[in-house]
């Protein structure tokens, strides 16, 4: 991400929008990297709030994935145990 986009004011706005939660800050930054400009991501987070904003961010990230990436992600979720790279290759063809 372009560090010039982050000013002292934008850091304050991020902390305010996320109530200082490290988990929410990480999700907001990922939203800004993948889907929306920083200021728009902050506004979206403030509008939606916590869990609803996280859900929006995850959906946006999923939509940005390639079909192959979605297949690997889905294959990774088939069981509770971790999958090796070879197992994922077999599962996804």
């Amino acid at each position: 991400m372009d560090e010039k986009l982050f000013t002292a004011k934008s850091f304050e706005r991020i902390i305010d929008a996320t109530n200082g939660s490290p988990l929410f800050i990480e999700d907001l930054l990922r939203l800004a990297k993948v889907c929306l400009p920083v200021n728009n991501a902050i506004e979206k987070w403030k509008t939606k709030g916590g869990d609803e904003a996280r859900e929006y961010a995850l959906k946006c990230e999923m939509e940005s994935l390639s079909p192959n990436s979605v297949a690997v992600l889905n294959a990774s979720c088939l069981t509770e145990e971790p999958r090796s790279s070879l197992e994922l290759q077999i599962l996804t063809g």
Side-chain angles (χ1 to χ4, degrees):
M1 295 177 74
D2 184 1
E3 61 187 55
K4 294 174 190 161
L5 297 174
F6 294 95
T7 63
K9 183 67 175 169
S10 64
F11 284 126
E12 288 176 26
R13 292 180 63 224
I14 289 169
I15 298 298
D16 180 56
T18 60
N19 294 320
S21 164
L23 180 63
F24 287 168
I25 292 170
E26 180 182 354
D27 289 340
L28 187 152
L29 292 175
R30 219 173 40 249
L31 176 63
K33 174 142 178 77
V34 175
C35 302
L36 297 172
V38 174
N39 288 328
N40 294 28
I42 294 168
E43 287 307 311
K44 180 67 77 173
W45 204 274
K46 286 175 75 173
T47 302
K48 292 196 173 283
D51 290 333
E52 188 178 343
R54 288 186 76 209
E55 184 178 336
Y56 173 83
L58 287 170
K59 284 180 181 177
C60 186
E61 285 181 272
M62 289 292 294
E63 290 170 358
S64 73
L65 294 176
S66 70
N68 288 341
S69 296
V70 171
V72 171
L73 183 60
N74 288 335
S76 299
C77 297
L78 290 175
T79 64
E80 293 182 21
E81 305 88 40
R83 294 287 183 182
S84 70
S85 177
L86 179 59
E87 289 173 313
L88 290 172
Q89 286 176 351
I90 292 168
L91 287 169
T92 60

